[in-house]
Amino acid sequence: MAWAKQLLRVDLTKGTCTNEALNMEWAQSYLGQRGLATKYYVEECDPKVDALSLDNKMIMATGPLTGTCASTAGRYSVITKGALTGAIACSNSGGFFGNEMKNAGYDMIIFEGASKSPVYLMIENDSAQLLDASEYWGQTVWDTEEGIKDKHGDAQIRVASIGVAGEQGVKFACIVNDMDRAAGRSGVGTVMGSKNLKAVAIRGTKGVAVNDPGAFIAAANAGKAVLAENAVTGQGLPAFGTQVLMNVINETGSLPTHNHRDVQFDGANNISAEAMAEPRASDGKPNLVTNAACFGCTIACGRVSTIDREHYTVKDRPEYQKASGGLEYEAAWALGAATGIDDLDALTFANFICNEQGIDPISFGATVGAAMEMFEDGVITDKDTGGIDLKFGNAQALTELAELTGRGEGFGAEIGLGSKLLCEKHGKPELSMSVKGQEFPAYDSRGIQGMGLTYATSNRGACHLRSYTVASEVLGIPEKTDPLETDGKAGLVKAFQDATAAFDSAGLCIFTSFAWTLDDVAPQLDAACDGEWTTDKLLEVGERIWNLERKYNMDAGFTGKDDNLPARLLKDAAKTGPAEGKTCGLDKMLPEYYEVRGWTPDGVPSNETLDRLAL
Amino acid sequence: MIIRIKLYASLGQHLPSGAVKNEADLDLDEGATPVDAFSRLNVPLEQCHLVLINGLFVPPAERPTRALVAGDHLAAWPPVAGG
């Protein structure tokens, strides 16, 4: 048990919803969520499929522990080919939507085809139907979510929807659930929009059955005790949130600034966790209102904040004066350091708009940063931007572009291409700070070398959530390694990648891994689920998932040559800080990585490796 | 000698008066160590999880012995993480 053992297949072209038994043989090899849904996706979709075509499919998937009383067990992921990348996409979200989906009796929902007119999927336990969404098309995520709850008269309904950005084909549109939690990266919301699917609304009350309730509760409680007693998950994350990293990463000289021209930002402290807690002059209240938790989470790292009512962004717009989600570190970095903007309220506003319209703040902010560099270099002008003075540090340019990009209008439509296409369009591809078309998150690989290998080899394009070696290289979790050294990083990255794939497939939040290892996860899965689940099996499943994703990407046309970084990181040395004079030593790490992966020198999984992993 | 002390998150409450944006100058004896600096400000040593000198990590074992030099930037955080 723990799996609902049932999936829902939604044919948007035909307008049908059909229940199917979950392939439990695959579940034993791929676990759930990221792994199992990727297996289904790879089996059913041609690797050459156009991400926005009728033939692409999109899967929303929970893990076996989703909906149970394990800590953080409320996660779901969206698996498809990314509109931003053309690579396998898997975007993971918290909140409460995943729990509701599992409690309605579904491990996953497979969407295929496309509807001729806007629809939303409404699930109430055993009842699943596609309903007309004409009244919500053109509306924001926030209005759509409230509208659907009002229409059905049930505030307990959980909704995942796209904003106008997803409708308009913004390449980094995301799917937002519970108002401010998002399957954020790679353009999964763009794929959803291409199918004329506005929202998925679910009310589920069935409960989730586990194999051995007594053993499972004991294992879940043991896991919660580890989280509570760990100083990071028990104290640091709930008190300070992810935003505490702003000063940490700046101090280590690894904070990408001004589109990665610099590695330290003078304004970092102004947009940090410390600044969010500082009482402001106008009303004596801080930006930060409270922390918040997703379903079943005993960490509660989330931030809820408000904008200064005197700030130019909201002075005459009371609808944005209420508390809402954010800022989190990655968003604050992209909207702030990447653009050279240290106006905390402007960043908070831009982040609200990203949530409201369903755009990934990382790709948005990073693309604005690239556009700012082209503007300052004279490659694009006022005429291109519609009069926006797109200089680094201009907060009004950022907030105006957030609204324009959210609606896919004006120069916002250009930003909505993402940095790769935008920079190529203007003849400056080298200014896109991306891998496989996806923009970097908030760590410069000249100062944290392992992250360079992480980005280059990430199956979904540049990403920190595939192998967070920052934990080891900066924070000393599970053990400290030197961020400026390349030696040993190949094995470190592989270990993080495989373990993360297992966490992502279980239904758990990756933040548990600041305190847990797979030794803490295995007993929970073993007590809850069919089959025997050990740490070794989870590591094997994680490695299998990584290689399955890799093989799909190679079949889609990617090669080892795509395991690369922008020349800026490989040739332009860091100007300041501990990494001054250093570039990213990817050439030293990549061959060793291929070797420890059991891949050929060209980065192709060998037949022996594929056989060993039963691929 | 004067060093720059930077205390973040919950450690910020131990900053000397006049500190701006989590930073302040601190006058220490020649040869003073990170532990000496933290002790001067009554920073609980067990709360100093991440300690950097000029952005470089200082292992716990070196914090009582590593000699600071004038102009060093000494930064410390309690247990934190993110991503």
Side-chain angles (χ1 to χ4, degrees):
Chain A
M1 290 178 276
W3 293 278
K5 301 187 180 180
Q6 179 175 249
L7 66 85
L8 180 67
R9 187 176 296 275
V10 179
D11 187 324
L12 291 158
T13 305
K14 295 178 182 172
T16 58
C17 300
T18 311
N19 288 350
E20 287 181 20
L22 191 72
N23 187 322
M24 293 309 297
E25 189 179 333
W26 287 355
Q28 287 298 315
S29 297
Y30 297 92
L31 190 51
Q33 202 167 332
R34 173 176 165 186
L36 186 56
T38 301
K39 174 64 174 172
Y40 268 90
Y41 181 81
V42 166
E43 290 291 330
E44 296 190 11
C45 275
D46 183 339
K48 303 286 189 188
V49 71
D50 183 323
L52 303 181
S53 73
L54 279 174
D55 294 331
N56 192 19
K57 299 188 182 185
M58 184 187 88
I59 304 175
M60 288 181 166
T62 62
L65 292 181
T66 304
T68 70
C69 65
S71 185
T72 78
R75 312 294 298 192
Y76 79 104
S77 293
V78 180
I79 291 83
T80 185
K81 177 179 267 195
L84 183 69
T85 59
I88 191 78
C90 173
S91 292
N92 185 310
S93 182
F96 297 81
F97 178 83
N99 167 65
E100 208 70 21
M101 180 173 151
K102 186 71 172 288
N103 271 277
Y106 294 111
D107 294 299
M108 64 175 75
I109 307 169
I110 301 177
F111 295 95
E112 48 194 43
S115 176
K116 287 179 181 171
S117 60
V119 292
Y120 68 102
L121 175 65
M122 181 72 219
I123 297 174
E124 292 173 284
N125 289 328
D126 294 321
S127 166
Q129 54 184 332
L130 289 167
L131 301 175
D132 178 31
S134 302
E135 63 187 297
Y136 306 120
W137 202 253
Q139 290 198 19
T140 68
V141 163
W142 293 354
D143 289 341
T144 300
E145 186 165 332
E146 286 183 356
I148 289 174
K149 288 180 178 180
D150 286 348
K151 180 177 179 179
H152 293 271
D154 187 352
Q156 302 289 341
I157 290 171
R158 298 295 179 179
V159 179
S161 65
I162 57 169
V164 176
E167 300 172 13
Q168 293 296 319
V170 170
K171 293 286 188 188
F172 44 80
C174 50
I175 300 170
V176 179
N177 56 279
D178 303 296
M179 305 301 265
D180 54 28
R181 309 307 302 185
R185 303 226 68 193
S186 311
V188 296
T190 323
V191 173
M192 186 162 160
S194 75
K195 297 184 175 305
N196 266 327
L197 179 64
K198 180 66 179 176
V200 179
I202 304 180
R203 185 75 178 103
T205 58
K206 289 183 171 182
V208 177
V210 296
N211 258 3
D212 184 338
F216 176 65
I217 289 172
N221 285 344
K224 289 174 183 175
V226 171
L227 294 176
E229 290 161 10
N230 181 281
V232 170
T233 51
Q235 302 161 35
L237 278 169
F240 313 115
T242 57
Q243 261 279 67
V244 78
L245 283 186
M246 190 66 73
N247 285 310
V248 174
I249 302 302
N250 194 48
E251 194 69 16
T252 61
S254 311
L255 190 71
T257 301
H258 304 127
N259 199 36
H260 285 69
R261 287 197 312 208
D262 302 303
V263 296
Q264 290 181 305
F265 181 38
D266 287 344
N269 194 272
N270 295 336
I271 58 171
S272 65
E274 287 79 4
M276 289 176 72
E278 195 71 22
R280 52 197 169 213
S282 63
D283 59 6
K285 296 177 182 175
N287 171 282
L288 179 67
V289 175
T290 184
N291 66 328
C294 300
F295 172 83
C297 177
T298 55
I299 301 173
C301 71
R303 303 292 95 179
V304 176
S305 56
T306 57
I307 299 167
D308 186 341
R309 293 183 180 196
E310 297 300 314
H311 193 259
Y312 76 90
T313 51
V314 301
K315 196 168 185 180
D316 300 316
R317 302 174 77 178
E319 67 271 28
Y320 295 108
Q321 293 176 3
K322 62 187 178 184
S324 193
L327 286 163
E328 306 297 343
Y329 170 61
E330 306 294 339
W333 161 77
L335 301 170
T339 62
I341 296 167
D342 67 353
D343 179 337
L344 181 65
D345 287 306
L347 270 52
T348 306
F349 177 79
N351 189 64
F352 282 4
I353 298 297
C354 288
N355 288 333
E356 185 185 30
Q357 291 292 20
I359 53 177
D360 169 16
I362 299 178
S363 283
F364 167 69
T367 302
V368 171
M372 285 175 159
E373 182 162 3
M374 288 195 287
F375 186 83
E376 292 204 345
D377 288 350
V379 176
I380 57 178
T381 66
D382 285 353
K383 191 176 174 185
D384 297 302
T385 64
I388 296 172
D389 185 23
L390 203 52
K391 290 177 183 165
F392 281 116
N394 185 348
Q396 294 197 13
L398 175 80
T399 52
E400 185 174 353
L401 279 175
E403 298 202 78
L404 287 171
T405 305
R407 298 193 300 267
E409 295 175 353
F411 190 65
E414 298 272 301
I415 295 293
L417 294 171
S419 68
K420 181 172 184 288
L421 291 180
L422 180 68
C423 292
E424 285 175 356
K425 180 178 176 180
H426 292 282
K428 291 285 183 181
E430 70 276 14
L431 295 185
S432 170
M433 295 298 112
S434 63
V435 172
K436 299 182 179 77
Q438 181 157 283
E439 290 74 17
F440 290 113
Y443 314 89
D444 196 294
S445 57
R446 289 166 289 198
I448 309 176
Q449 294 282 326
M451 291 306 289
L453 184 60
T454 287
Y455 295 148
T457 59
S458 166
N459 288 327
R460 70 167 188 175
C463 175
H464 60 295
L465 292 171
R466 287 297 173 270
S467 161
Y468 194 65
T469 61
V470 177
S472 170
E473 294 179 276
V474 176
L475 305 171
I477 303 170
E479 59 185 28
K480 188 74 175 67
T481 54
D482 187 340
L484 300 177
E485 280 295 328
T486 54
D487 289 351
K489 296 300 166 62
L492 185 73
V493 167
K494 178 185 180 294
F496 269 84
Q497 288 173 337
D498 293 349
T500 300
F503 273 92
D504 285 348
S505 301
L508 301 170
C509 176
I510 192 61
F511 278 14
T512 56
S513 67
F514 289 125
W516 289 353
T517 67
L518 290 176
D519 289 340
D520 298 288
V521 178
Q524 299 183 65
L525 282 167
D526 193 55
C529 301
D530 298 346
E532 291 185 11
W533 292 92
T534 62
T535 299
D536 286 346
K537 182 174 177 179
L538 288 173
L539 282 170
E540 181 185 302
V541 167
E543 186 178 10
R544 180 178 297 121
I545 293 166
W546 190 264
N547 279 272
L548 178 70
E549 293 172 338
R550 173 75 174 188
K551 189 170 181 308
Y552 177 84
N553 280 349
M554 303 211 93
D555 291 343
F558 290 93
T559 71
K561 290 179 180 174
D562 297 298
D563 297 336
N564 209 343
L565 298 171
R568 175 165 286 175
L569 301 175
L570 302 173
K571 294 178 180 174
D572 297 352
K575 298 172 190 168
T576 63
E580 183 176 351
K582 274 192 168 290
T583 57
C584 180
L586 180 64
D587 58 336
K588 299 181 184 71
M589 298 182 282
L590 193 59
E592 185 185 353
Y593 172 81
Y594 286 166
E595 192 175 337
V596 298
R597 273 265 170 237
W599 296 354
T600 69
D602 293 330
V604 180
S606 68
N607 288 335
E608 291 78 9
T609 297
L610 295 177
D611 287 345
R612 177 171 58 80
L613 296 170
L615 283 168
Chain B
M1 66 174 180
I2 305 293
I3 69 151
R4 193 76 170 158
I5 183 89
K6 303 178 179 181
L7 298 174
Y8 295 103
S10 58
L11 302 186
Q13 63 185 303
H14 299 284
L15 282 161
S17 59
V20 176
K21 295 179 181 177
N22 297 87
E23 298 182 22
D25 285 337
L26 190 64
D27 194 354
L28 297 171
D29 294 336
E30 293 293 331
T33 66
V35 165
D36 293 331
F38 298 142
S39 298
R40 167 76 71 81
L41 298 173
N42 298 314
V43 181
L45 297 179
E46 70 278 9
Q47 280 294 307
C48 295
H49 177 75
L50 177 63
V51 175
L52 307 176
I53 296 178
N54 302 326
L56 295 170
F57 181 68
V58 184
E62 294 181 17
R63 294 171 193 172
T65 57
R66 170 85 174 267
L68 292 159
V69 299
D72 273 350
H73 286 216
L74 174 64
W77 287 262
V80 295

